[in-house]
Amino acid sequence: MSDWREDYERAAEAESARLARASDRVLLEAIRARQTGEYYTIWRVIGERRPKPEICWTLYETLTSDRDYLDRYHCAQALLRLLGLRTFEAAELSALSPNLPGNLAAPHQIIEAQVGAPKL
């Protein structure tokens, strides 16, 4: 008999392995199209890449979007990892709260400092 956890983990690992082989461009297109998979592994995969401007700004735009909480939460984890930022928890950059706009100001400034201003 199959254990649901093992099935879940196997499927998530397969999704992660498939996404790990994709280019930055393919991953960013999927994120912009809101096709982030069933297991949220796209966020871990993109968070392990180098902090390039297009990646960082796409993740920041995702955090400021109307996406569901889990996408924003996992996106926040990826961005924090890319930036090496340990002063925030992912929930502080993703959960709707009165503090959210202020919390998002710091990563915005850090992205600008590390990779440059967003391209218009």
Side-chain angles (χ1 to χ4, degrees):
M1 183 176 271
S2 177
D3 181 313
W4 69 268
R5 280 187 213 131
E6 289 176 8
D7 292 344
Y8 181 93
E9 289 173 9
R10 224 179 346 269
E13 283 181 27
E15 180 181 273
S16 181
R18 180 180 53 79
L19 292 170
R21 291 187 299 271
S23 67
D24 291 349
R25 182 185 56 76
V26 168
L27 294 176
L28 293 175
E29 286 173 3
I31 289 169
R32 289 183 191 116
R34 298 179 182 228
Q35 297 171 346
T36 55
E38 292 184 50
Y39 304 96
Y40 300 99
T41 60
I42 195 169
W43 303 113
R44 187 178 69 242
V45 168
I46 200 83
E48 293 171 354
R49 304 284 168 111
R50 288 195 354 251
K52 298 175 186 172
E54 189 176 15
I55 292 174
C56 292
W57 288 115
T58 298
L59 296 182
Y60 186 82
E61 289 169 14
T62 300
L63 287 178
T64 61
S65 74
D66 64 351
R67 298 233 189 162
D68 70 50
Y69 172 70
L70 285 176
D71 260 338
R72 290 192 324 273
Y73 177 83
H74 291 288
C75 174
Q77 285 184 318
L79 186 60
L80 291 170
R81 184 173 186 162
L82 277 171
L83 299 175
L85 189 59
R86 294 176 184 9
T87 55
F88 286 99
E89 296 291 328
E92 294 174 291
L93 301 178
S94 55
L96 298 178
S97 76
N99 298 332
L100 185 59
N103 290 351
L104 288 172
H108 188 280
Q109 292 171 343
I110 292 167
I111 294 169
E112 278 190 342
Q114 286 190 17
V115 300
K119 293 191 167 77
L120 301 175

